């Protein structure tokens, strides 16, 4: 079950990335890069709490750029669509 959820999330986030391509600007890309840099630094410093927080922020920001629903939760959206 975990692998199915992971695969679904990877697919949905890929779709979010494709949707975001049409709406992003340089500031949006810089924001994603900054979040990614903080995540990489946290991983290097073995700060798993910060790394997880930054990972969540990265994906949340990507979903917002893709103009997904207000809850910005791709799994919740999939559940609503395929209920």
């Amino acid at each position: 079950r975990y692998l199915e959820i992971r695969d679904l999330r990877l697919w949905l986030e890929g779709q979010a990335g494709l949707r975001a391509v049409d709406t992003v600007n340089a500031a949006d890309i810089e924001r994603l890069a900054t979040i990614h840099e903080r995540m990489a630094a946290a991983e290097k410093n073995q700060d798993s709490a910060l790394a997880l927080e930054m990972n969540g922020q990265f994906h949340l920001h990507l979903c917002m750029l893709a103009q997904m629903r207000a809850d910005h939760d791709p799994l919740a959206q999939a559940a609503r669509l395929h209920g």
Side-chain angles (χ1 to χ4, degrees):
R1 178 115 173 111
Y2 166 79
L3 293 177
E4 291 171 351
I5 292 170
R6 185 205 63 190
D7 290 347
L8 178 60
R9 184 168 195 131
L10 289 172
W11 182 83
L12 287 170
E13 290 173 354
Q15 293 303 302
L18 289 174
R19 287 177 63 177
V21 166
D22 294 330
T23 63
V24 297
N25 59 40
D28 296 325
I29 293 169
E30 181 63 30
R31 173 74 178 135
L32 287 171
T34 298
I35 295 169
H36 186 268
E37 288 168 6
R38 289 188 67 200
M39 182 174 58
E43 289 173 350
K44 183 178 180 181
N45 295 326
Q46 299 180 347
D47 185 345
S48 58
L50 181 59
L52 286 172
E53 180 184 339
M54 291 298 100
N55 183 278
Q57 283 188 23
F58 182 91
H59 292 285
L60 177 65
H61 193 64
L62 180 59
C63 289
M64 288 189 310
L65 293 174
Q67 300 176 351
M68 293 179 127
R69 290 179 55 108
D71 61 14
H72 305 294
D73 184 342
L75 289 178
Q77 287 182 336
R80 282 192 299 272
L81 289 173
H82 301 288

